[in-house]
Amino acid sequence: MGTDTKSDTSLTKSGLTSVLRHDLPASLVVFLVAVPLSLGIAVASGAPPVAGLVAGVIGGVVAGFLGGSVVQVSGPAAGLSLVVAELVGTYGWRATCTITLLAGALQLLLGTCRVARAALAVSPAVVHGMLAGVGVVIALAQLHVVLGGTPQRSAVENLIELPGQIADNHSHAVFVGLLTIGVLIGWTRLPRRLRIVPAPLAALLVASVTAAAFGWNVTRIDLSASLSDWAAPVWPKGDWHGIIAAVMLVALLAGVESLLCSVATDKQHGGRRSDLDRELSAQGVANMVSGALGGLPVAGVIVRSTTNIRAGARSRWSTVLHGVWILVFAVCLGWTITLIPMEALAALLVFIGVQMVNMGHLRNLRGHREIPIYCVTMAGVVLLGLAEGILLGLGIAALSALRRLTRVTVRATPEPDGRWHVLVGGSLTFLGVPRITSELRAIPRGAAVDLDLNIDFMDNAAFEAVHAWRQEHERGGGTVDIDEIHDEWYAMAASGARLFPVKTPPRAPDRWWLPWAHRRRGWAAIADLRDRHAPDGTALAAPGRRTRSGQGPAVPAGQVPGGSGPSVPGQRAPEEDHPAAPDLIAGAREFHRRTAPLVRPFLHAMARKQEPSHLFITCADSRIVPNLITASGPGDLFTVRNIGNLVPRRGTAPPDDSVAAAIEYATGALTVKSITVCGHSGCGAMAALLGGGEQATELPSLGRWLRHGDHSLARFTALESEGADDADDRGPLDRLCRINVIQQLENLRTHPRVDRLVREGRLELVGLYFDIAAARVHILDQPPVAPSPL
C-alpha cells in the first residue's frame, strides 16, 4: 500500500487534541454535504438510494484510512453515474456490484505495480470535457423528474421531449424543484453565520418541510432496498468482452478521477503531499468492499475534499469520521430519507450537473488552445455515450499533440543588404518537408542566405531535403550560413554523427532571457563570443556561423547592425569604423537578429518604468555577471558596479556621491526590498590593498578610490593578528575578499535611510561571495564564518 499507515493514523495526546479541535468539526461539515449528494448520485445512477450511503461509508472509512492523501474525501462520484446507469440497465444492479468489485481489484493491482503517475498523462481537457458531458446528461435527465415526468434513455431524447414535458402541467413537482434550486442559489448569498448548514442539506430540508406543510402531491424516496434486504452480488451475464470493457472503464474512470482529485487537493493545503500509488491501491480496496456490500463505485470527490480542507481538516481522521457519521445516520435516522421528495433530489442533481460544466476550466484550457478537445469530448459523451465520448476526446487530444509536435514554421524574408534570412522553427520531420522545400526554392538563385534552424528535432528526411537544397544552391553561386539555435541536428547529421541532442547544463529559471538561455547549446555561445576572431586576428561573422573569406556580412554605413532602418544622425558604421571591437558589433547584430524578437515583449512592457526589487552592488570585474549568478532577468536588479564592490562610509573622505546617490535612489524612489553586496575570489582591488597600494603612484585615481577599503584592510589585519584564521585553509586574499563584503554591509548602515529601513524591517542586507573557479555562490554571515553554499 505504499508507506506505512501507522505513522499517520496512530493518535498521540497532541494528535488527539488536533483531531478534536480540527478534524471532528470538519467531519461533521463534510457529512452534511455528503449525505444528500450520495442519495442524489444513487438516484441518478439508477441504483437503490441506500447504495449511495454504503459507498459514502466505505469511501470515508476504508479509502480514508488507507489512502495516500490525508485530506481527500472519497465516495460516490457524479462523474461515474452515467456509466453506472448504463451498467445497471444492461446487467442489473447486483451484477453491477460485481463489476465494481472487479474494478477495485484491477485498481489494487495497478497501485501495487506503481503505475498511478501514468494516469496523469490523460489530458485534463478530456477529463473536464467528460465531466461536463456527464453533467449535461444528468441535468437533462433529472429536469424531467423536476417537471414531474420520467427521463428518457438518452440525452438527445430528453432534449427532444423537454418542450412537451414543460407544457404538461405538474404544479406541485415544479414548485418543489424551483424551491430547491432557489435555496441552492440563494444560500451562498446569506451571511456567513447563517451558512453553517451546507446548501444541499438546507435545500432538501426546506423542500421537504414545505411539501409536507402544504400537503403537496410529490414522489417520495423508496427505501425498500434496505440493508435488511441485502443480497450477494451475482456474476454478470452476457458477452465477456463487454464485461471486461466495463470493468476496465469503471476502474480507469474512478482511478483517474481520484488521482486528479489528489493532485488538486495538494494545491489547497500545506501538509504532506499525496502518495498516488497508495491512493490508487486504497481506492481499489474501497471499491472491492463497496461492490461486495452493494454500494456504488467509489472515487475521490473534489467537492467534498475542498469542503473538508476549507472546514479546517488536518488529518485523515476527518475523512474517516465523516464515513462513521454517514453509517450512524443510515442506521439510526435512515427513515428520515423517506420524507425527501424525489423532485427535490432531482433538482439538486440538476444543480450539480450544471456546476459540472465549469467555466473556470474553459478559461484555463483556452490559454493552451485545448477548448476543441473539451468540446468534442463533451459533445461525444452527450450524443454518443460515455465510453465513445472519452475515446473521441483521447483521439482528438492525440491528434492535437501530434500536430504540435510536428508543426513547423518557415519564414523567408529578404534583408536590405540583399541577403535572405530564413527562420525555421518547430519540429522538422518528413511532414514538414514539402513546406520547407517550397519556401527554400523560392529564394533567388545565387543569393546569400542565413538559415536559422530554431528546431528541437530533425529526422533524416528533413535533413536530406535541407542538405540537398543547400548543395544545389551553393552550386548555383549562392552561399548558405546555417545557424542552429537549439541542438545541432543539422551539423551532427552532416558530419555523420547520430541524431541525438547535445547534453548541456539546465537552463536558468523562467525570467533568464539572455541569448544562451534561449538555446540549449547556449554555453557554447559564450565560447563563441570569446573565440570570435580567427588565429590571424580576422573577425569572424557571428557566433556559430560559417565565415565567408574570413569576414562578417557587410552592413551599409549608417545602419544599425542587424537592423533594417537608418541609424540616428552621427552614428558610426560597423566594423570598418570600429576595428578594435568587431566582436561587440557582431554581437549587436546577433542580438538584433535573434534575441531581440524573443525579449522584445518583455522589454516593451517595462519600457516606461523600472520596478527592481533588489539593489545589487558588485565589482566591476569582467568575470562577474550579476544576472547569470542570480538567475535574474531584465528589470530585476538595480546594479551598481565599481572596483572592489566598495560602499564609501557616510561623511568620510575622499567624498563619493556616486554610490550614495544610487543607494538613495534605490531605497527612496525604487523602494527596493534588499541590498546585496557581492564580492568574488581573486579580486584585484583587494590584492592591491594587500600589496600596500603600489598602484597609487601610477594610477592616482585608483589609489584614492581604494582608500574606501581601508576599514576592510584594518579589520582583516586585526583578525589575522588574533589568529582567527588558524582553522581556515584559505589564502589571505580570499579571506580579505570575504571580510570586505561584511565590512561594506556595515558601511551601508552608516547611511541614515538604510539604517532606518533595516531597523523597521523594511530592508534586508545580504552578503554574497562568488567563487569564480568553483562557479559557486555563498551567503556570508556577520561576523564572518564559514559560508553556507546556496
Side-chain angles (χ1 to χ4, degrees):
M1 294 294 295
T3 59
D4 186 16
T5 61
K6 184 177 181 180
S7 60
D8 53 339
T9 55
S10 59
L11 289 179
T12 61
K13 183 177 180 180
S14 60
L16 180 60
T17 302
S18 177
V19 169
L20 294 176
R21 181 178 180 182
H22 301 288
D23 296 319
L24 180 59
S27 69
L28 292 172
V29 175
V30 179
F31 154 70
L32 296 176
V33 173
V35 168
L37 295 182
S38 298
L39 292 173
I41 293 170
V43 171
S45 303
V50 73
L53 298 179
V54 172
V57 173
I58 302 304
V61 176
V62 178
F65 187 81
L66 301 177
S69 174
V70 295
V71 293
Q72 176 170 293
V73 181
S74 299
L80 296 173
S81 61
L82 189 58
V83 67
V84 174
E86 292 180 358
L87 293 178
V88 172
T90 304
Y91 301 105
W93 168 242
R94 293 171 62 192
T96 301
C97 292
T98 301
I99 293 175
T100 301
L101 190 154
L102 295 176
L106 178 58
Q107 287 180 323
L108 178 59
L109 176 62
L110 293 175
T112 304
C113 295
R114 308 187 67 83
V115 297
R117 289 273 172 194
L120 301 182
V122 179
S123 170
V126 175
V127 177
H128 297 320
M130 177 204 72
L131 294 176
V134 170
V136 172
V137 174
I138 291 175
L140 288 175
Q142 296 304 313
L143 191 56
H144 284 270
V145 179
V146 172
L147 297 173
T150 303
Q152 306 301 314
R153 291 186 57 86
S154 69
V156 176
E157 293 177 359
N158 282 320
L159 189 60
I160 294 174
E161 296 292 332
L162 189 58
Q165 190 71 61
I166 295 175
D168 191 7
N169 186 12
H170 296 277
S171 57
H172 292 171
V174 173
F175 287 154
V176 171
L178 292 178
L179 179 61
T180 304
I181 294 177
V183 173
L184 289 169
I185 296 175
W187 199 256
T188 58
R189 293 169 172 80
L190 295 178
R192 188 177 185 86
R193 63 180 179 274
L194 297 179
R195 288 187 279 127
I196 300 176
V197 179
L201 183 60
L204 295 184
L205 286 174
V206 171
S208 302
V209 172
T210 303
F214 288 93
W216 287 345
N217 182 23
V218 293
T219 306
R220 305 288 180 176
I221 294 179
D222 182 14
L223 282 183
S224 58
S226 61
L227 291 175
S228 60
D229 299 325
W230 177 86
V234 298
W235 189 261
K237 298 179 180 179
D239 182 17
W240 64 271
H241 295 92
I243 297 173
I244 293 176
V247 170
M248 295 182 62
L249 183 61
V250 173
L252 295 179
L253 285 181
V256 170
E257 189 168 350
S258 299
L259 296 177
L260 292 178
C261 181
S262 296
V263 174
T265 54
D266 281 347
K267 300 176 182 178
Q268 301 181 43
H269 70 95
R272 195 180 66 184
R273 303 296 91 180
S274 299
D275 183 339
L276 297 184
D277 292 305
R278 174 177 169 180
E279 181 63 36
L280 183 58
S281 299
Q283 294 291 333
V285 174
N287 275 309
M288 293 174 67
V289 176
S290 182
L293 296 180
L296 289 171
V298 171
V301 185
I302 189 62
V303 174
R304 275 166 261 185
S305 301
T306 302
T307 302
N308 192 35
I309 296 171
R310 292 177 178 174
R314 298 291 181 85
S315 72
R316 65 180 69 250
W317 285 106
S318 173
T319 303
V320 174
L321 288 174
H322 117 277
V324 174
W325 304 142
I326 296 177
L327 178 61
V328 172
F329 170 81
V331 173
C332 301
L333 298 172
W335 59 270
T336 60
I337 298 175
T338 60
L339 302 177
I340 301 175
M342 285 292 294
E343 292 81 1
L345 207 55
L348 174 61
L349 290 171
V350 171
F351 187 78
I352 294 173
V354 172
Q355 285 189 319
M356 291 174 71
V357 185
N358 193 320
M359 300 307 297
H361 292 155
L362 280 175
R363 286 191 291 269
N364 294 334
L365 295 174
R366 180 182 179 185
H368 299 281
R369 299 179 180 177
E370 293 183 320
I371 288 183
I373 302 174
Y374 178 95
C375 295
V376 168
T377 306
M378 181 176 68
V381 171
V382 173
L383 300 177
L384 303 177
L386 184 64
E388 294 83 353
I390 294 174
L391 291 176
L392 189 59
L394 290 174
I396 297 298
L399 291 176
S400 177
L402 180 62
R403 176 179 176 272
R404 293 177 182 178
L405 290 174
T406 58
R407 184 178 182 181
V408 60
T409 59
V410 184
R411 186 172 66 249
T413 55
E415 300 290 344
D417 59 356
R419 301 181 61 84
W420 278 74
H421 179 214
V422 181
L423 177 62
V424 181
S427 297
L428 196 51
T429 65
F430 66 94
L431 297 176
V433 168
R435 181 174 181 183
I436 189 173
T437 53
S438 175
E439 293 286 347
L440 293 177
R441 295 187 184 281
I443 298 175
R445 185 180 181 87
V449 180
D450 294 328
L451 176 59
D452 287 348
L453 299 179
N454 186 11
I455 59 176
D456 47 34
F457 178 76
M458 174 187 284
D459 67 8
N460 185 67
F463 166 74
E464 293 288 350
V466 174
H467 192 60
W469 169 82
R470 176 183 181 179
Q471 291 177 326
E472 179 182 349
H473 190 76
E474 289 179 340
R475 282 195 297 268
T479 60
V480 181
D481 295 336
I482 297 180
D483 191 3
E484 300 189 71
I485 301 177
H486 286 313
D487 303 314
E488 297 180 337
W489 297 98
Y490 182 89
M492 288 187 292
S495 62
R498 296 178 65 186
L499 289 179
F500 289 106
V502 179
K503 299 294 184 181
T504 57
R507 288 192 286 181
D510 52 3
R511 291 199 65 196
W512 178 236
W513 296 315
L514 292 182
W516 44 84
H518 284 284
R519 351 171 221 183
R520 284 173 287 195
R521 69 177 188 93
W523 299 100
I526 300 177
D528 289 338
L529 292 173
R530 181 190 62 227
D531 301 330
R532 195 74 58 75
H533 291 79
D536 61 357
T538 305
L540 299 181
R545 306 181 70 82
R546 185 175 62 85
T547 60
R548 297 174 302 281
S549 304
Q551 295 181 357
V555 178
Q559 184 173 306
V560 178
S564 58
S567 65
V568 295
Q571 177 175 307
R572 304 176 67 181
E575 291 95 329
E576 296 82 1
D577 293 340
H578 295 276
D583 52 345
L584 296 182
I585 300 304
R589 180 187 300 107
E590 186 74 2
F591 169 79
H592 287 133
R593 185 178 61 84
R594 178 155 59 189
T595 308
L598 299 176
V599 301
R600 186 175 291 114
F602 306 103
L603 295 178
H604 178 76
M606 62 180 70
R608 295 182 178 276
K609 183 181 180 181
Q610 62 167 326
E611 295 179 328
S613 53
H614 312 278
L615 169 59
F616 198 87
I617 302 175
T618 189
C619 187
D621 193 293
S622 60
R623 298 166 294 179
I624 310 303
V625 186
N627 293 99
L628 179 63
I629 65 176
T630 59
S632 53
D636 288 338
L637 304 180
F638 185 67
T639 307
V640 174
R641 307 190 65 157
N642 60 51
I643 294 178
N645 46 271
L646 299 176
V647 179
R649 297 172 68 90
R650 183 80 171 185
T652 59
D656 180 83
D657 288 334
S658 175
V659 178
I663 294 172
E664 288 180 358
Y665 185 72
T667 56
L670 300 178
T671 62
V672 297
K673 302 301 181 183
S674 71
I675 301 180
T676 299
V677 177
C678 180
H680 65 94
S681 59
C683 180
M686 297 302 104
L689 287 176
L690 281 179
E694 296 178 358
Q695 294 92 341
T697 303
E698 299 179 2
L699 307 171
S701 297
L702 176 61
R704 288 192 297 272
W705 170 253
L706 289 180
R707 293 178 192 173
H708 295 299
D710 289 344
H711 290 86
S712 299
L713 183 61
R715 187 172 189 156
F716 168 78
T717 303
L719 290 174
E720 293 286 303
S721 62
E722 294 173 2
D725 63 320
D726 292 343
D728 195 342
D729 57 355
R730 294 186 293 264
L733 176 58
D734 185 69
R735 292 196 293 272
L736 177 57
C737 292
R738 296 168 185 262
I739 290 173
N740 178 59
V741 173
I742 303 301
Q743 182 60 50
Q744 303 317 308
L745 293 177
E746 293 189 3
N747 291 354
L748 281 169
R749 298 293 294 270
T750 65
H751 295 260
R753 182 189 297 271
V754 173
D755 185 66
R756 175 173 57 82
L757 292 175
V758 171
R759 292 180 184 276
E760 294 174 356
R762 297 161 55 191
L763 183 67
E764 181 182 8
L765 302 183
V766 181
L768 298 182
Y769 176 81
F770 180 51
D771 188 335
I772 296 176
R776 189 74 171 171
V777 180
H778 300 276
I779 301 176
L780 299 183
D781 299 322
Q782 188 178 3
V785 295
S788 58
L790 288 177

